[in-house]
């Protein structure tokens, strides 16, 4: 099993994609990937054995417009609120089949361009982060109702959601597919 080298963060001029999917990588996602602030398309790290948290620094990749796919790993902890900085993201945010806990960050409501593929299923969203027993469990933020361009696939099934589904999700009138 290999790891993602921190030195990839030195590829600051990388503009299109970083695709390391379906390998046998078993490290954490290096915080240095946040230095890839010129990337405009996608980062795909799915189908590995990546562990630990999604780094807050990925929120600095604010030109990323197509997709983030980190599904089918062993990522844990809460999703960082800094991901709200990915305001150009419009096609896919696939983080399903991990071990993520806590709330969906309300800052993701700033993703006004998101139209498809918000997949958070098969995690532990809604449970307390294992590092913070004083924090209340999370749920679905009302701010997701701002994703008015969403046309398909807001998938949150198989989590540990205990709170009410916000009525603001009724604003997603362009939705065609499953929720």
């Amino acid at each position: 099993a290999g790891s993602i080298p921190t030195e990839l963060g030195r590829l600051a001029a990388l503009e299109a994609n970083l695709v390391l999917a379906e390998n046998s990588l078993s490290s954490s996602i290096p915080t240095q990937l946040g230095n890839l602030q010129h990337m405009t398309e996608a980062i795909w790290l799915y189908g590995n054995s990546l562990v630990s948290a999604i780094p807050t620094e990925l929120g600095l990749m604010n030109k990323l417009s197509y997709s983030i796919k980190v599904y089918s790993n062993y990522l844990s902890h809460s999703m960082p609120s800094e991901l709200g900085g990915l305001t150009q993201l419009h096609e896919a945010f696939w983080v399903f089949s991990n071990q993520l806990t806590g709330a969906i960050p309300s800052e993701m409501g700033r993703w006004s361009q998101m139209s498809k593929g918000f997949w958070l299923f098969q995690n532990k969203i809604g449970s307390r982060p294992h590092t913070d027993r004083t924090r209340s469990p999370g749920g679905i933020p009302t701010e997701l109702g701002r994703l008015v361009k969403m046309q398909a696939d807001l998938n949150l099934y198989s989590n540990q959601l205990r709170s009410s589904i916000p009525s603001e999700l009724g604003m997603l009138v362009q939705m065609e597919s499953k929720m």
Side-chain angles (χ1 to χ4, degrees):
S3 63
I4 301 173
T6 59
E7 291 80 7
L8 288 182
R10 294 184 192 158
L11 302 175
L14 184 64
E15 290 185 9
N17 303 300
L18 177 63
V19 180
L20 298 172
E22 297 181 345
N23 286 291
S24 295
L25 303 174
S26 61
S27 63
S28 60
I29 299 172
T31 59
Q32 291 83 351
L33 293 187
N35 294 335
L36 305 178
Q37 295 177 21
H38 293 286
M39 279 184 47
T40 59
E41 293 294 320
I43 181 166
W44 292 358
L45 304 174
Y46 63 85
N48 285 293
S49 295
L50 299 174
V51 297
S52 199
I54 297 173
T56 59
E57 291 80 0
L58 290 189
L60 298 172
M61 302 171 75
N62 59 3
K63 293 181 183 176
L64 202 62
S65 65
Y66 185 69
S67 66
I68 293 180
K69 296 181 180 180
V70 293
Y71 64 88
S72 296
N73 281 292
Y74 298 98
L75 299 173
S76 57
H77 306 284
S78 294
M79 287 182 286
S81 61
E82 288 81 358
L83 291 178
L86 303 173
T87 57
Q88 300 304 308
L89 200 61
H90 73 273
E91 187 68 25
F93 181 69
W94 292 1
V95 296
F96 62 90
S97 296
N98 280 290
Q99 299 170 5
L100 298 170
T101 59
I104 298 168
S106 61
E107 291 81 359
M108 288 181 173
R110 295 179 17 211
W111 294 359
S112 60
Q113 302 303 310
M114 179 59 76
S115 64
K116 300 177 185 168
F118 194 94
W119 292 6
L120 299 175
F121 60 89
Q122 294 176 340
N123 277 290
K124 297 177 183 176
I125 303 293
S127 66
R128 280 190 185 96
H130 72 277
T131 56
D132 189 353
R133 293 290 175 209
T134 61
R135 198 167 162 192
S136 63
I140 303 170
T142 59
E143 290 82 358
L144 289 190
R146 296 181 191 157
L147 305 179
V148 294
K149 292 187 179 181
M150 262 317 251
Q151 297 173 6
D153 296 337
L154 176 60
N155 287 321
L156 302 173
Y157 71 86
S158 194
N159 276 290
Q160 296 180 13
L161 297 170
R162 293 180 185 95
S163 59
S164 298
I165 296 173
S167 61
E168 288 81 357
L169 293 186
M171 301 296 292
L172 307 178
V173 294
Q174 294 186 37
M175 291 284 288
E176 300 170 352
S177 193
K178 49 191 165 292
M179 182 158 98

